[in-house]
Amino acid sequence: MNDFHDVYFIEGGLWYRGYRDELLQMNGEFRGGTEKELSFSLSQSIYNQSQQESIQGYSISSILDKFSVKEIDLFKIDIEGAEAHLFDTYENTLAILKKTKVLAIELHDESIDRFKFTSFIEKAGYHHITFGEVTYVYMPFKSG
């Protein structure tokens, strides 16, 4: 539509379990269900749940592998609190940052420890700056 090339639409949800893709169910319980039409969360689908109530969940690694992508130029994440799972350890944070030039993320303070997240990215040598609701994470430019 906009003459973009190498852009793929994936109907599904971002999932955080390594290479494991899973069937997921949508829940309107994020933020107590007060923003049902705007915010929802995902969880593992109950085995006998109908397909209509479920969506496919994809890990970052499996998406990159599927499209033979080695590096993400801009990774925009607004996943209503699930970022706490993606960035729960230094190792997981570093694995994502190593594949990403610029990370633009909305951190939901009721789900993620912002101090812990920034300590992980700083430990990895990355910088961050926040504008409004979005925190940008990037590797500083090194001259010479």
Side-chain angles (χ1 to χ4, degrees), residues 2 23 34 57 62 110 115:
N2 291 314
L23 199 59
T34 59
S62 69
E110 63 268 44
F115 178 76

Side-chain angles (χ1 to χ4, degrees), residues 62-74:
S62 69
I63 292 169
L64 295 178
D65 289 349
K66 180 178 182 169
F67 296 105
S68 300
V69 173
K70 303 265 187 264
E71 187 174 51
I72 303 167
D73 292 323
L74 174 63

Side-chain angles (χ1 to χ4, degrees), residues 83-97:
E83 66 274 9
H85 298 291
L86 287 178
F87 300 98
D88 62 341
T89 66
Y90 174 72
E91 293 75 22
N92 289 349
T93 302
L94 186 60
I96 293 170
L97 292 177

Side-chain angles (χ1 to χ4, degrees), residues 27-115:
N27 306 306
E29 297 158 9
F30 184 70
R31 294 187 174 134
T34 59
E35 298 180 11
K36 237 186 233 187
E37 67 283 352
L38 301 175
S39 302
F40 60 89
S41 63
L42 299 172
S43 61
Q44 285 179 286
S45 184
I46 300 167
Y47 179 72
N48 61 0
Q49 189 172 14
S50 77
Q51 287 288 109
Q52 291 180 338
E53 298 172 356
S54 302
I55 63 170
Q56 184 62 49
Y58 299 98
S59 69
I60 295 168
S61 298
S62 69
I63 292 169
L64 295 178
D65 289 349
K66 180 178 182 169
F67 296 105
S68 300
V69 173
K70 303 265 187 264
E71 187 174 51
I72 303 167
D73 292 323
L74 174 63
F75 191 6
K76 170 66 169 88
I77 299 177
D78 182 2
I79 52 177
E80 305 306 325
E83 66 274 9
H85 298 291
L86 287 178
F87 300 98
D88 62 341
T89 66
Y90 174 72
E91 293 75 22
N92 289 349
T93 302
L94 186 60
I96 293 170
L97 292 177
K98 282 182 166 182
K99 297 175 185 176
T100 307
K101 290 182 181 177
V102 176
L103 173 66
I105 184 167
E106 186 174 327
L107 299 172
H108 297 84
D109 292 318
E110 63 268 44
S111 299
I112 190 167
D113 180 340
R114 188 179 295 262
F115 178 76

Side-chain angles (χ1 to χ4, degrees), residues 125-127 138-142:
Y126 288 76
H127 289 200
Y138 58 94
M139 181 59 77
F141 178 72
K142 295 180 183 175

